[in-house]
Amino acid sequence: MSVAEKQTKEVSWSKIKNIYSREFENYFNTTIGYVFLGIFSLSINFMFFFPGKFWEMNMATMDTFFSWLRILFLFFIPAVTMRLWAEEKKSGTVEILFTLPYSTWELILGKYFSALSFIAIALVTTLFIPFSIEMIGEPDWMLIIGGYLGVFLLAATYTALGLFISWLTQDQIVAFLFASALFFLLFIMGYADFLKLIKPFSAIVAYMSVSWHFESISRGIFDLRDIIYFISFSTLFLYLNYRSIEKRR
């Protein structure tokens, strides 16, 4: 039995929960978590309610809202994930973590789910927007549900990548900038202006982009291939994180 198989079988959900609780509480032990949530909520509400044209366009489907939300993720999620490993490495507590009876997968999954839960809370703060539209109009709830499913799957993918990038450095600012740059690349890969630059490979690059798959789900088309794409992408970077940590332990 390989080391990876052995560790996979030894994964304990109670230990994952311990790491999860530790990391999740860290977001709220200081004012940082509250500041992040406050900035996120104020930003998305400003984008939705303040400019008149924003309110008027696609109100029933909230298309513009989800478009702005994806842009906000390019900065918000790197800010959430940048500290997960980088802070541990800089402070030296990562060495202590490795001496504790936790497998690599338990550490990774505990951190991953804690960050994803924090992002989910941020998304929950936006739910009053579609309900406020319900009070004054007739929103298309299938498209709205598709939009929220799409942004959550997108968040799961970005979080896995951000966690991996955080492991590669002990500087949180470097982790933030590197993650934002990669997120932006994955974001624009599915758009026509970018694809014109790489015509021979445009179809392949478009399919690899997060935007291409998000657009499909946000239109209410729940294609299993799009869901598998996001799950596979997330799993890939969690596995890369696992392999890179195993080389150090």
Side-chain angles (χ1 to χ4, degrees):
M1 183 183 297
S2 67
V3 174
E5 290 174 339
K6 185 177 179 181
Q7 283 214 358
T8 300
K9 289 189 175 183
E10 291 176 351
V11 166
S12 166
W13 286 104
S14 63
K15 290 183 178 181
I16 292 174
K17 183 179 178 181
N18 290 338
I19 299 297
Y20 169 89
S21 299
R22 169 184 178 266
E23 295 295 333
F24 188 72
E25 288 173 3
N26 281 341
Y27 286 113
F28 299 101
N29 285 338
T30 64
T31 59
I32 293 177
Y34 299 100
V35 169
F36 279 0
L37 287 177
I39 291 175
F40 177 86
S41 183
L42 287 173
S43 298
I44 198 63
N45 281 288
F46 173 82
M47 293 172 182
F48 188 80
F49 287 110
F50 184 74
K53 290 185 178 180
F54 190 98
W55 175 259
E56 294 169 3
M57 292 175 59
N58 303 312
M59 190 172 70
T61 63
M62 294 176 59
D63 283 349
T64 314
F65 167 80
F66 290 118
S67 295
W68 278 108
L69 193 55
R70 285 184 293 162
I71 294 174
L72 195 57
F73 273 179
L74 300 178
F75 308 100
F76 178 69
I77 295 181
V80 172
T81 61
M82 65 182 183
R83 52 162 289 278
L84 290 173
W85 284 118
E87 185 180 47
E88 301 266 24
K89 293 173 74 174
K90 186 173 183 179
S91 64
T93 55
V94 69
E95 304 298 340
I96 299 175
L97 270 182
F98 289 162
T99 64
L100 298 176
Y102 292 104
S103 70
T104 302
W105 276 119
E106 288 163 353
L107 295 173
I108 291 173
L109 293 177
K111 288 176 175 290
Y112 175 71
F113 289 133
S114 69
L116 195 56
S117 296
F118 183 79
I119 295 166
I121 291 174
L123 288 175
V124 168
T125 66
T126 70
L127 288 178
F128 76 93
I129 293 177
F131 286 111
S132 66
I133 295 175
E134 173 71 28
M135 296 174 63
I136 62 173
E138 297 181 358
D140 188 328
W141 281 101
M142 184 58 68
L143 293 181
I144 291 174
I145 291 171
Y148 272 106
L149 175 61
V151 294
F152 182 77
L153 290 172
L154 180 63
T157 299
Y158 281 165
T159 301
L161 177 54
L163 179 64
F164 173 57
I165 292 172
S166 181
W167 169 257
L168 299 179
T169 179
Q170 63 178 19
D171 190 315
Q172 295 186 50
I173 302 301
V174 172
F176 173 84
L177 295 175
F178 191 25
S180 293
L182 286 181
F183 291 1
F184 179 72
L185 178 62
L186 289 170
F187 176 76
I188 66 168
M189 279 168 54
Y191 289 99
D193 290 341
F194 180 83
L195 295 175
K196 288 177 183 177
L197 303 175
I198 48 173
K199 285 186 178 180
F201 311 101
S202 58
I204 297 175
V205 173
Y207 188 79
M208 291 174 59
S209 73
V210 294
S211 300
W212 194 87
H213 294 275
F214 174 85
E215 293 291 347
S216 178
I217 295 176
S218 65
R219 290 195 298 268
I221 304 172
F222 300 111
D223 192 326
L224 186 60
R225 290 173 296 182
D226 296 320
I227 296 174
I228 290 175
Y229 165 85
F230 284 111
I231 294 175
S232 299
F233 207 115
S234 302
T235 303
L236 170 64
F237 283 102
L238 291 176
Y239 179 73
L240 290 176
N241 199 178
Y242 166 80
R243 294 301 304 171
S244 59
I245 292 174
E246 281 297 290
K247 289 182 180 179
R248 173 168 175 171
R249 291 192 74 168

